[in-house]
Amino acid sequence: MQYSSPQAKIMSQISGILEKLEGTSVYGVLLDMEASYERISSEQNEWYKKSGFNCPSGCGSCCKGFEPDIFEGEALYMAAWLLENQRFTAMKIAEDEFPFAHDDGTCLFFNENSPFHCSIYGGRAFICRLFGASSYKGKTGEKVWRPCKFYPDEYLSSHKPPIQKRQYSEAETETILGAVPPLMSDLIEEAKASTKSGETVLIRDVLPRTIRWLLWLIDMNNNGNDNPNGTPSPAAA
């Protein structure tokens, strides 16, 4: 399924769920989220192409001891992606049963035995997409970049010229790598725009109920409920 958005025309990873939710209040949110994720991918691909600099293959260190807390829009997209692409897993999560159990705060979607580690890569959160490949604003308001703290020293020192674990100005980053990665704050603002409260919640706390709500909303929408905000119409109640 292809759709148009203010940002881009992209191929959707949740086309079946979008069709089932058309006319509801979350339909536009999901379109906006997917367009934002596509923007991140496009800008990062440009950064990778120009810089030739990427995370070491099979690292996954940023997932260990870390569970993302996410905005409402992220939770909705993650839930929709799971229902579209991993329905069995989604139904288990709806019952508060996640695919991987970790006792050290590691993300519940981190698969230690997979070389790719993230088991929901296409539905992952903003921070997971931005980690290691984004810039941020320094004290003076200019873009700055710092290499990921998990990059091995030998990996950084092998770069020509060698890279240190310190903050680089926009000009330095341009000189050393030939490009500056996308600005994190601009991209995070897009996530905030798709939420009502502006607050974030841990995945384990928000995702099960979000999946259950989307399932209910899909059921209501498929049974002739014409209320666009997703609440039961008088005829359906």
Side-chain angles (χ1 to χ4, degrees), residues 14-56:
I14 55 169
S15 57
I17 298 300
L18 283 172
E19 289 177 1
K20 294 175 181 178
L21 289 170
E22 190 166 2
T24 69
S25 59
V26 303
Y27 180 80
V29 174
L30 291 173
L31 291 183
D32 289 343
M33 289 300 302
E34 193 152 51
S36 294
Y37 288 159
E38 178 64 19
R39 177 190 166 192
I40 291 174
S41 178
S42 176
E43 292 188 15
Q44 285 179 334
N45 285 339
E46 188 67 18
W47 145 259
Y48 295 139
K49 180 180 177 181
K50 290 181 178 179
S51 69
F53 191 74
N54 205 339
C55 293

mmCIF file of all heavy atoms in Angstrom, residues 14-56:
data_model
loop_
_atom_site.group_PDB
_atom_site.id
_atom_site.type_symbol
_atom_site.label_atom_id
_atom_site.label_comp_id
_atom_site.label_asym_id
_atom_site.label_seq_id
_atom_site.Cartn_x
_atom_site.Cartn_y
_atom_site.Cartn_z
ATOM 1 N N ILE A 14 2.561 -1.087 7.430
ATOM 2 C CA ILE A 14 1.360 -1.422 8.209
ATOM 3 C C ILE A 14 0.104 -1.230 7.357
ATOM 4 O O ILE A 14 -0.941 -0.822 7.851
ATOM 5 C CB ILE A 14 1.272 -0.560 9.489
ATOM 6 C CG1 ILE A 14 1.336 0.940 9.158
ATOM 7 C CG2 ILE A 14 2.375 -0.927 10.468
ATOM 8 C CD1 ILE A 14 1.001 1.839 10.333
ATOM 9 N N SER A 15 0.205 -1.534 6.067
ATOM 10 C CA SER A 15 -0.884 -1.245 5.132
ATOM 11 C C SER A 15 -2.197 -1.923 5.524
ATOM 12 O O SER A 15 -3.271 -1.325 5.425
ATOM 13 C CB SER A 15 -0.489 -1.649 3.715
ATOM 14 O OG SER A 15 -0.148 -3.026 3.672
ATOM 15 N N GLY A 16 -2.120 -3.189 5.973
ATOM 16 C CA GLY A 16 -3.347 -3.898 6.342
ATOM 17 C C GLY A 16 -4.036 -3.276 7.538
ATOM 18 O O GLY A 16 -5.262 -3.149 7.555
ATOM 19 N N ILE A 17 -3.261 -2.863 8.537
ATOM 20 C CA ILE A 17 -3.831 -2.224 9.722
ATOM 21 C C ILE A 17 -4.398 -0.856 9.373
ATOM 22 O O ILE A 17 -5.470 -0.476 9.862
ATOM 23 C CB ILE A 17 -2.767 -2.110 10.834
ATOM 24 C CG1 ILE A 17 -2.287 -3.501 11.256
ATOM 25 C CG2 ILE A 17 -3.320 -1.347 12.034
ATOM 26 C CD1 ILE A 17 -3.367 -4.402 11.806
ATOM 27 N N LEU A 18 -3.708 -0.129 8.507
ATOM 28 C CA LEU A 18 -4.210 1.182 8.090
ATOM 29 C C LEU A 18 -5.576 1.053 7.416
ATOM 30 O O LEU A 18 -6.478 1.857 7.666
ATOM 31 C CB LEU A 18 -3.216 1.858 7.143
ATOM 32 C CG LEU A 18 -1.977 2.486 7.784
ATOM 33 C CD1 LEU A 18 -0.996 2.947 6.699
ATOM 34 C CD2 LEU A 18 -2.356 3.657 8.682
ATOM 35 N N GLU A 19 -5.723 0.066 6.572
ATOM 36 C CA GLU A 19 -7.003 -0.134 5.893
ATOM 37 C C GLU A 19 -8.122 -0.403 6.896
ATOM 38 O O GLU A 19 -9.247 0.085 6.735
ATOM 39 C CB GLU A 19 -6.893 -1.292 4.904
ATOM 40 C CG GLU A 19 -6.053 -0.961 3.676
ATOM 41 C CD GLU A 19 -5.890 -2.150 2.752
ATOM 42 O OE1 GLU A 19 -6.462 -3.226 3.064
ATOM 43 O OE2 GLU A 19 -5.201 -2.017 1.732
ATOM 44 N N LYS A 20 -7.796 -1.157 7.945
ATOM 45 C CA LYS A 20 -8.803 -1.490 8.953
ATOM 46 C C LYS A 20 -9.128 -0.314 9.869
ATOM 47 O O LYS A 20 -10.185 -0.294 10.508
ATOM 48 C CB LYS A 20 -8.332 -2.679 9.784
ATOM 49 C CG LYS A 20 -8.227 -3.980 8.988
ATOM 50 C CD LYS A 20 -7.644 -5.107 9.822
ATOM 51 C CE LYS A 20 -7.518 -6.389 9.006
ATOM 52 N NZ LYS A 20 -6.910 -7.486 9.790
ATOM 53 N N LEU A 21 -8.219 0.664 9.934
ATOM 54 C CA LEU A 21 -8.411 1.800 10.837
ATOM 55 C C LEU A 21 -8.801 3.081 10.112
ATOM 56 O O LEU A 21 -8.949 4.131 10.748
ATOM 57 C CB LEU A 21 -7.131 2.047 11.636
ATOM 58 C CG LEU A 21 -6.790 1.002 12.706
ATOM 59 C CD1 LEU A 21 -5.398 1.230 13.240
ATOM 60 C CD2 LEU A 21 -7.817 1.044 13.839
ATOM 61 N N GLU A 22 -8.965 3.013 8.813
ATOM 62 C CA GLU A 22 -9.311 4.224 8.068
ATOM 63 C C GLU A 22 -10.626 4.816 8.592
ATOM 64 O O GLU A 22 -11.610 4.111 8.802
ATOM 65 C CB GLU A 22 -9.448 3.913 6.577
ATOM 66 C CG GLU A 22 -9.566 5.157 5.734
ATOM 67 C CD GLU A 22 -9.369 4.881 4.251
ATOM 68 O OE1 GLU A 22 -9.168 3.700 3.879
ATOM 69 O OE2 GLU A 22 -9.420 5.848 3.471
ATOM 70 N N GLY A 23 -10.615 6.119 8.815
ATOM 71 C CA GLY A 23 -11.789 6.801 9.350
ATOM 72 C C GLY A 23 -11.758 6.971 10.854
ATOM 73 O O GLY A 23 -12.610 7.651 11.417
ATOM 74 N N THR A 24 -10.782 6.350 11.542
ATOM 75 C CA THR A 24 -10.675 6.485 12.993
ATOM 76 C C THR A 24 -9.696 7.601 13.353
ATOM 77 O O THR A 24 -8.943 8.095 12.508
ATOM 78 C CB THR A 24 -10.210 5.172 13.654
ATOM 79 O OG1 THR A 24 -8.847 4.936 13.290
ATOM 80 C CG2 THR A 24 -11.069 4.000 13.208
ATOM 81 N N SER A 25 -9.641 7.930 14.623
ATOM 82 C CA SER A 25 -8.786 9.022 15.082
ATOM 83 C C SER A 25 -7.301 8.689 15.000
ATOM 84 O O SER A 25 -6.470 9.593 14.944
ATOM 85 C CB SER A 25 -9.145 9.376 16.533
ATOM 86 O OG SER A 25 -8.978 8.249 17.370
ATOM 87 N N VAL A 26 -6.938 7.402 15.003
ATOM 88 C CA VAL A 26 -5.528 7.045 15.009
ATOM 89 C C VAL A 26 -4.955 6.872 13.600
ATOM 90 O O VAL A 26 -3.734 6.767 13.439
ATOM 91 C CB VAL A 26 -5.279 5.749 15.819
ATOM 92 C CG1 VAL A 26 -5.785 5.908 17.228
ATOM 93 C CG2 VAL A 26 -5.917 4.547 15.150
ATOM 94 N N TYR A 27 -5.810 6.868 12.602
ATOM 95 C CA TYR A 27 -5.345 6.660 11.224
ATOM 96 C C TYR A 27 -4.308 7.709 10.829
ATOM 97 O O TYR A 27 -3.219 7.386 10.353
ATOM 98 C CB TYR A 27 -6.543 6.694 10.268
ATOM 99 C CG TYR A 27 -6.196 6.482 8.808
ATOM 100 C CD1 TYR A 27 -5.973 5.200 8.306
ATOM 101 C CD2 TYR A 27 -6.117 7.563 7.924
ATOM 102 C CE1 TYR A 27 -5.676 4.995 6.968
ATOM 103 C CE2 TYR A 27 -5.804 7.367 6.584
ATOM 104 C CZ TYR A 27 -5.592 6.085 6.115
ATOM 105 O OH TYR A 27 -5.281 5.883 4.788
ATOM 106 N N GLY A 28 -4.623 8.969 11.058
ATOM 107 C CA GLY A 28 -3.700 10.047 10.712
ATOM 108 C C GLY A 28 -2.430 10.011 11.540
ATOM 109 O O GLY A 28 -1.352 10.341 11.037
ATOM 110 N N VAL A 29 -2.558 9.621 12.804
ATOM 111 C CA VAL A 29 -1.379 9.521 13.670
ATOM 112 C C VAL A 29 -0.406 8.494 13.108
ATOM 113 O O VAL A 29 0.804 8.727 13.037
ATOM 114 C CB VAL A 29 -1.778 9.137 15.113
ATOM 115 C CG1 VAL A 29 -0.523 8.897 15.967
ATOM 116 C CG2 VAL A 29 -2.634 10.218 15.741
ATOM 117 N N LEU A 30 -0.927 7.353 12.679
ATOM 118 C CA LEU A 30 -0.079 6.299 12.133
ATOM 119 C C LEU A 30 0.578 6.740 10.825
ATOM 120 O O LEU A 30 1.754 6.431 10.580
ATOM 121 C CB LEU A 30 -0.890 5.026 11.914
ATOM 122 C CG LEU A 30 -1.367 4.324 13.189
ATOM 123 C CD1 LEU A 30 -2.316 3.175 12.855
ATOM 124 C CD2 LEU A 30 -0.180 3.810 14.005
ATOM 125 N N LEU A 31 -0.150 7.473 9.991
ATOM 126 C CA LEU A 31 0.443 8.004 8.763
ATOM 127 C C LEU A 31 1.588 8.959 9.096
ATOM 128 O O LEU A 31 2.663 8.894 8.484
ATOM 129 C CB LEU A 31 -0.612 8.745 7.930
ATOM 130 C CG LEU A 31 -1.719 7.933 7.277
ATOM 131 C CD1 LEU A 31 -2.609 8.851 6.451
ATOM 132 C CD2 LEU A 31 -1.154 6.832 6.403
ATOM 133 N N ASP A 32 1.352 9.843 10.053
ATOM 134 C CA ASP A 32 2.381 10.819 10.443
ATOM 135 C C ASP A 32 3.608 10.126 11.027
ATOM 136 O O ASP A 32 4.749 10.508 10.735
ATOM 137 C CB ASP A 32 1.824 11.819 11.459
ATOM 138 C CG ASP A 32 0.823 12.784 10.853
ATOM 139 O OD1 ASP A 32 0.796 12.906 9.609
ATOM 140 O OD2 ASP A 32 0.071 13.414 11.618
ATOM 141 N N MET A 33 3.387 9.116 11.857
ATOM 142 C CA MET A 33 4.505 8.408 12.467
ATOM 143 C C MET A 33 5.341 7.696 11.402
ATOM 144 O O MET A 33 6.573 7.751 11.432
ATOM 145 C CB MET A 33 3.997 7.392 13.493
ATOM 146 C CG MET A 33 3.429 8.006 14.755
ATOM 147 S SD MET A 33 4.607 9.029 15.674
ATOM 148 C CE MET A 33 5.909 7.832 15.990
ATOM 149 N N GLU A 34 4.679 7.043 10.464
ATOM 150 C CA GLU A 34 5.430 6.321 9.448
ATOM 151 C C GLU A 34 6.202 7.286 8.555
ATOM 152 O O GLU A 34 7.342 7.007 8.158
ATOM 153 C CB GLU A 34 4.508 5.436 8.610
ATOM 154 C CG GLU A 34 5.278 4.433 7.768
ATOM 155 C CD GLU A 34 4.497 3.172 7.476
ATOM 156 O OE1 GLU A 34 3.350 3.279 7.014
ATOM 157 O OE2 GLU A 34 5.037 2.078 7.713
ATOM 158 N N ALA A 35 5.611 8.452 8.269
ATOM 159 C CA ALA A 35 6.315 9.456 7.485
ATOM 160 C C ALA A 35 7.532 9.988 8.247
ATOM 161 O O ALA A 35 8.585 10.237 7.663
ATOM 162 C CB ALA A 35 5.370 10.604 7.131
ATOM 163 N N SER A 36 7.399 10.154 9.567
ATOM 164 C CA SER A 36 8.530 10.609 10.381
ATOM 165 C C SER A 36 9.646 9.575 10.385
ATOM 166 O O SER A 36 10.830 9.913 10.274
ATOM 167 C CB SER A 36 8.069 10.878 11.823
ATOM 168 O OG SER A 36 7.175 11.971 11.881
ATOM 169 N N TYR A 37 9.280 8.318 10.523
ATOM 170 C CA TYR A 37 10.279 7.256 10.505
ATOM 171 C C TYR A 37 10.972 7.181 9.142
ATOM 172 O O TYR A 37 12.175 6.924 9.056
ATOM 173 C CB TYR A 37 9.631 5.916 10.838
ATOM 174 C CG TYR A 37 9.225 5.757 12.284
ATOM 175 C CD1 TYR A 37 8.258 4.828 12.662
ATOM 176 C CD2 TYR A 37 9.823 6.524 13.296
ATOM 177 C CE1 TYR A 37 7.895 4.662 13.997
ATOM 178 C CE2 TYR A 37 9.464 6.367 14.621
ATOM 179 C CZ TYR A 37 8.498 5.434 14.966
ATOM 180 O OH TYR A 37 8.138 5.273 16.287
ATOM 181 N N GLU A 38 10.212 7.403 8.088
ATOM 182 C CA GLU A 38 10.802 7.393 6.754
ATOM 183 C C GLU A 38 11.757 8.573 6.587
ATOM 184 O O GLU A 38 12.807 8.457 5.954
ATOM 185 C CB GLU A 38 9.698 7.448 5.691
ATOM 186 C CG GLU A 38 10.197 7.502 4.263
ATOM 187 C CD GLU A 38 10.961 6.256 3.834
ATOM 188 O OE1 GLU A 38 10.818 5.211 4.498
ATOM 189 O OE2 GLU A 38 11.689 6.327 2.832
ATOM 190 N N ARG A 39 11.407 9.704 7.177
ATOM 191 C CA ARG A 39 12.296 10.869 7.114
ATOM 192 C C ARG A 39 13.624 10.564 7.815
ATOM 193 O O ARG A 39 14.697 10.890 7.313
ATOM 194 C CB ARG A 39 11.639 12.083 7.760
ATOM 195 C CG ARG A 39 12.539 13.314 7.795
ATOM 196 C CD ARG A 39 11.969 14.433 8.640
ATOM 197 N NE ARG A 39 12.981 15.435 8.903
ATOM 198 C CZ ARG A 39 12.848 16.413 9.795
ATOM 199 N NH1 ARG A 39 11.742 16.523 10.503
ATOM 200 N NH2 ARG A 39 13.828 17.288 9.986
ATOM 201 N N ILE A 40 13.543 9.929 8.993
ATOM 202 C CA ILE A 40 14.764 9.549 9.713
ATOM 203 C C ILE A 40 15.624 8.644 8.837
ATOM 204 O O ILE A 40 16.829 8.853 8.690
ATOM 205 C CB ILE A 40 14.419 8.827 11.027
ATOM 206 C CG1 ILE A 40 13.778 9.803 12.015
ATOM 207 C CG2 ILE A 40 15.675 8.209 11.642
ATOM 208 C CD1 ILE A 40 13.278 9.143 13.283
ATOM 209 N N SER A 41 15.000 7.627 8.256
ATOM 210 C CA SER A 41 15.727 6.673 7.417
ATOM 211 C C SER A 41 16.386 7.359 6.237
ATOM 212 O O SER A 41 17.560 7.107 5.921
ATOM 213 C CB SER A 41 14.769 5.583 6.927
ATOM 214 O OG SER A 41 15.434 4.677 6.076
ATOM 215 N N SER A 42 15.653 8.258 5.587
ATOM 216 C CA SER A 42 16.171 8.952 4.416
ATOM 217 C C SER A 42 17.363 9.833 4.776
ATOM 218 O O SER A 42 18.402 9.818 4.099
ATOM 219 C CB SER A 42 15.065 9.802 3.785
ATOM 220 O OG SER A 42 15.563 10.559 2.701
ATOM 221 N N GLU A 43 17.228 10.605 5.868
ATOM 222 C CA GLU A 43 18.309 11.508 6.268
ATOM 223 C C GLU A 43 19.522 10.734 6.779
ATOM 224 O O GLU A 43 20.664 11.128 6.532
ATOM 225 C CB GLU A 43 17.806 12.488 7.330
ATOM 226 C CG GLU A 43 16.780 13.468 6.787
ATOM 227 C CD GLU A 43 16.410 14.558 7.778
ATOM 228 O OE1 GLU A 43 17.144 14.741 8.778
ATOM 229 O OE2 GLU A 43 15.402 15.244 7.552
ATOM 230 N N GLN A 44 19.277 9.630 7.471
ATOM 231 C CA GLN A 44 20.397 8.833 7.953
ATOM 232 C C GLN A 44 21.109 8.123 6.804
ATOM 233 O O GLN A 44 22.340 8.004 6.810
ATOM 234 C CB GLN A 44 19.922 7.818 8.990
ATOM 235 C CG GLN A 44 19.608 8.458 10.345
ATOM 236 C CD GLN A 44 19.124 7.457 11.370
ATOM 237 O OE1 GLN A 44 18.575 6.414 11.024
ATOM 238 N NE2 GLN A 44 19.296 7.775 12.634
ATOM 239 N N ASN A 45 20.358 7.645 5.830
ATOM 240 C CA ASN A 45 20.979 6.995 4.682
ATOM 241 C C ASN A 45 21.893 7.965 3.943
ATOM 242 O O ASN A 45 22.960 7.588 3.451
ATOM 243 C CB ASN A 45 19.914 6.442 3.734
ATOM 244 C CG ASN A 45 19.268 5.180 4.256
ATOM 245 O OD1 ASN A 45 19.823 4.490 5.110
ATOM 246 N ND2 ASN A 45 18.086 4.859 3.759
ATOM 247 N N GLU A 46 21.459 9.219 3.882
ATOM 248 C CA GLU A 46 22.288 10.249 3.251
ATOM 249 C C GLU A 46 23.564 10.469 4.065
ATOM 250 O O GLU A 46 24.653 10.622 3.517
ATOM 251 C CB GLU A 46 21.495 11.555 3.134
ATOM 252 C CG GLU A 46 22.180 12.643 2.327
ATOM 253 C CD GLU A 46 22.307 12.309 0.850
ATOM 254 O OE1 GLU A 46 21.591 11.420 0.360
ATOM 255 O OE2 GLU A 46 23.139 12.957 0.173
ATOM 256 N N TRP A 47 23.408 10.466 5.393
ATOM 257 C CA TRP A 47 24.564 10.610 6.298
ATOM 258 C C TRP A 47 25.527 9.435 6.142
ATOM 259 O O TRP A 47 26.735 9.614 6.028
ATOM 260 C CB TRP A 47 24.046 10.743 7.719
ATOM 261 C CG TRP A 47 24.854 10.131 8.827
ATOM 262 C CD1 TRP A 47 24.606 8.946 9.462
ATOM 263 C CD2 TRP A 47 26.014 10.675 9.471
ATOM 264 N NE1 TRP A 47 25.539 8.721 10.450
ATOM 265 C CE2 TRP A 47 26.412 9.762 10.474
ATOM 266 C CE3 TRP A 47 26.749 11.840 9.300
ATOM 267 C CZ2 TRP A 47 27.513 9.970 11.296
ATOM 268 C CZ3 TRP A 47 27.850 12.054 10.117
ATOM 269 C CH2 TRP A 47 28.219 11.139 11.103
ATOM 270 N N TYR A 48 24.991 8.219 6.118
ATOM 271 C CA TYR A 48 25.840 7.038 5.960
ATOM 272 C C TYR A 48 26.576 7.060 4.618
ATOM 273 O O TYR A 48 27.760 6.704 4.525
ATOM 274 C CB TYR A 48 25.005 5.756 6.042
ATOM 275 C CG TYR A 48 24.363 5.499 7.387
ATOM 276 C CD1 TYR A 48 23.057 5.022 7.484
ATOM 277 C CD2 TYR A 48 25.060 5.727 8.570
ATOM 278 C CE1 TYR A 48 22.474 4.780 8.716
ATOM 279 C CE2 TYR A 48 24.476 5.492 9.809
ATOM 280 C CZ TYR A 48 23.188 5.021 9.872
ATOM 281 O OH TYR A 48 22.605 4.785 11.095
ATOM 282 N N LYS A 49 25.856 7.468 3.579
ATOM 283 C CA LYS A 49 26.435 7.508 2.236
ATOM 284 C C LYS A 49 27.590 8.491 2.166
ATOM 285 O O LYS A 49 28.647 8.192 1.597
ATOM 286 C CB LYS A 49 25.343 7.872 1.229
ATOM 287 C CG LYS A 49 25.810 7.940 -0.212
ATOM 288 C CD LYS A 49 24.659 8.310 -1.131
ATOM 289 C CE LYS A 49 25.126 8.456 -2.572
ATOM 290 N NZ LYS A 49 23.994 8.845 -3.464
ATOM 291 N N LYS A 50 27.389 9.667 2.739
ATOM 292 C CA LYS A 50 28.414 10.715 2.663
ATOM 293 C C LYS A 50 29.571 10.457 3.617
ATOM 294 O O LYS A 50 30.731 10.720 3.289
ATOM 295 C CB LYS A 50 27.791 12.080 2.961
ATOM 296 C CG LYS A 50 26.870 12.593 1.875
ATOM 297 C CD LYS A 50 26.307 13.967 2.239
ATOM 298 C CE LYS A 50 25.428 14.516 1.130
ATOM 299 N NZ LYS A 50 24.858 15.844 1.487
ATOM 300 N N SER A 51 29.252 9.951 4.811
ATOM 301 C CA SER A 51 30.286 9.788 5.842
ATOM 302 C C SER A 51 31.006 8.439 5.767
ATOM 303 O O SER A 51 32.158 8.321 6.183
ATOM 304 C CB SER A 51 29.672 9.944 7.236
ATOM 305 O OG SER A 51 28.820 8.848 7.540
ATOM 306 N N GLY A 52 30.306 7.426 5.265
ATOM 307 C CA GLY A 52 30.865 6.086 5.272
ATOM 308 C C GLY A 52 31.072 5.553 6.678
ATOM 309 O O GLY A 52 31.842 4.624 6.907
ATOM 310 N N PHE A 53 30.332 6.125 7.632
ATOM 311 C CA PHE A 53 30.519 5.801 9.055
ATOM 312 C C PHE A 53 29.234 5.211 9.604
ATOM 313 O O PHE A 53 28.169 5.808 9.493
ATOM 314 C CB PHE A 53 30.891 7.072 9.818
ATOM 315 C CG PHE A 53 31.351 6.843 11.228
ATOM 316 C CD1 PHE A 53 32.603 6.321 11.493
ATOM 317 C CD2 PHE A 53 30.520 7.145 12.290
ATOM 318 C CE1 PHE A 53 33.029 6.112 12.800
ATOM 319 C CE2 PHE A 53 30.933 6.937 13.596
ATOM 320 C CZ PHE A 53 32.187 6.422 13.852
ATOM 321 N N ASN A 54 29.325 4.040 10.203
ATOM 322 C CA ASN A 54 28.126 3.342 10.684
ATOM 323 C C ASN A 54 28.467 2.567 11.951
ATOM 324 O O ASN A 54 29.634 2.436 12.315
ATOM 325 C CB ASN A 54 27.616 2.382 9.603
ATOM 326 C CG ASN A 54 26.146 2.098 9.719
ATOM 327 O OD1 ASN A 54 25.546 2.265 10.775
ATOM 328 N ND2 ASN A 54 25.549 1.654 8.623
ATOM 329 N N CYS A 55 27.435 2.064 12.622
ATOM 330 C CA CYS A 55 27.667 1.241 13.810
ATOM 331 C C CYS A 55 28.398 -0.044 13.421
ATOM 332 O O CYS A 55 28.153 -0.593 12.342
ATOM 333 C CB CYS A 55 26.337 0.878 14.474
ATOM 334 S SG CYS A 55 25.449 2.263 15.203
ATOM 335 N N PRO A 56 29.272 -0.550 14.296
ATOM 336 C CA PRO A 56 29.902 -1.842 14.024
ATOM 337 C C PRO A 56 28.833 -2.921 13.867
ATOM 338 O O PRO A 56 27.832 -2.929 14.587
ATOM 339 C CB PRO A 56 30.765 -2.092 15.265
ATOM 340 C CG PRO A 56 30.985 -0.739 15.856
ATOM 341 C CD PRO A 56 29.744 0.050 15.550
#
